[in-house]
Amino acid sequence: TVVGPPPAEYNYQFQSGGIYKQHQIIVTANTQFRHLSVHGSYTFNQARSDTQGVNYVPSVAQNPGLDYGRAGFGITNRLFVLGTYSAPHGIVVAPLLAAQSGTPYNLVIGNDLTANNQFNARPTYGTCGQANVVSTPYGCLDTDPVGKGERIVPYGVGLGPANVVFHMRVSKVIGIGPRIEGAKGAPGFQGGNGSVNGRGLSGGQAQPKLDATVHRRYSLTLVGGAINIFNIVNLGTPNGTLASPLFGKTQSLATGPFGSPVPGNRAIFLQAIFSF
């Protein structure tokens, strides 16, 4: 039998409201030069909010607006470029370049200053050299700001490393069986509401086609490729807790299009797809 005070109980209450403002500029371009097709997209993004999702707990419950700042998904620049080259013998080569600027992240002290069992209190800007003041790339930050009247660090002031990755895909489609009657063998890439051909883009934005078309009843598609072909190490967001000895260091790899489906960075794959 354990004798002692009962564990502390915390009653968290959430509301569905919040402030979120985002501005985006998206530019897309598509072009084709005989056997080469290039599709590109660039996004300029600015997103600010005072909440980071349905389970987010404000650093000060009485003032959620204190956490208004750069959202964790507010990556400023994103670039995607996909090329498709129709090589001889029905081989299609498709390189993909993806890049983005750093991901915003929050800086926290690592202590529970509001007695709500949350350790998301942010530091303030202090005077370099004084007690409890840590020198960081974002300035001299006070880890014990209670009652000092210092200016609090904005939410999402941290900025992670930029990411870039280059993928490569090569495919060959082999037609099997009788030829499909009435099929047209006109060259070009088709998709979406339009098509890209020798005359350029028409009818809307076209979608790239990664494999050649064969007008046979059956087909065998052979695919070989590499994810992150140059083996670039894309790091995730750094540790933003000032009390941690790992503050400012990245402890994980990037995810999404900059991650790898297998442990490590570069991954080489082979596929065989039979369609009927």
Side-chain angles (χ1 to χ4, degrees):
T1 303
V2 178
V3 179
E9 294 182 359
Y10 297 90
N11 180 20
Y12 298 118
Q13 300 180 12
F14 294 89
Q15 65 181 29
S16 59
I19 298 176
Y20 166 59
K21 295 181 180 180
Q22 184 177 32
H23 302 279
Q24 280 189 339
I25 299 176
I26 301 175
V27 180
T28 60
N30 303 278
T31 186
Q32 182 171 349
F33 306 93
R34 298 189 63 182
H35 302 293
L36 175 64
S37 177
V38 180
H39 307 260
S41 173
Y42 168 76
T43 301
F44 175 80
N45 174 61
Q46 288 185 336
R48 302 177 69 85
S49 67
D50 63 356
T51 177
Q52 303 300 311
V54 295
N55 294 321
Y56 180 75
V57 178
S59 58
V60 178
Q62 296 77 12
N63 185 12
L66 191 65
D67 291 349
Y68 183 77
R70 290 194 301 182
F73 54 86
I75 299 172
T76 305
N77 302 286
R78 282 191 175 98
L79 175 68
F80 291 91
V81 179
L82 171 64
T84 53
Y85 175 69
S86 299
H89 308 294
I91 297 175
V92 178
V93 181
L96 169 65
L97 170 68
Q100 70 177 24
S101 55
T103 302
Y105 67 98
N106 196 30
L107 301 183
V108 297
I109 297 173
N111 294 326
D112 180 14
L113 301 183
T114 56
N116 63 352
N117 200 36
Q118 299 295 315
F119 298 83
N120 56 359
R122 298 197 305 281
T124 59
Y125 291 106
T127 302
C128 296
Q130 290 189 352
N132 301 314
V133 175
V134 180
S135 179
T136 74
Y138 305 102
C140 294
L141 307 182
D142 192 343
T143 61
D144 186 23
V146 179
K148 297 181 180 179
E150 299 169 334
R151 184 167 64 93
I152 191 171
V153 173
Y155 189 95
V157 70
L159 187 64
N163 299 132
V164 61
V165 73
F166 190 81
H167 305 319
M168 180 65 71
R169 184 183 189 274
V170 181
S171 68
K172 164 69 177 178
V173 181
I174 302 173
I176 302 173
R179 184 178 181 85
I180 300 176
E181 296 296 333
K184 297 182 180 180
F189 296 90
Q190 296 184 351
N193 297 320
S195 64
V196 177
N197 49 43
R199 295 184 297 273
L201 178 64
S202 63
Q205 182 176 341
Q207 300 297 324
K209 191 171 183 181
L210 300 180
D211 300 315
T213 299
V214 293
H215 303 291
R216 299 284 183 175
R217 184 175 298 276
Y218 312 107
S219 64
L220 176 64
T221 304
L222 304 177
V223 181
I227 297 174
N228 194 358
I229 191 171
F230 295 123
N231 204 33
I232 300 172
V233 179
N234 286 292
L235 300 177
T237 54
N239 187 319
T241 304
L242 289 170
S244 171
L246 298 176
F247 171 75
K249 298 180 180 180
T250 298
Q251 301 169 262
S252 63
L253 297 176
T255 58
F258 305 97
S260 175
V262 298
N265 292 307
R266 179 169 50 208
I268 299 175
F269 65 90
L270 298 172
Q271 289 179 325
I273 305 171
F274 181 73
S275 302
F276 57 92

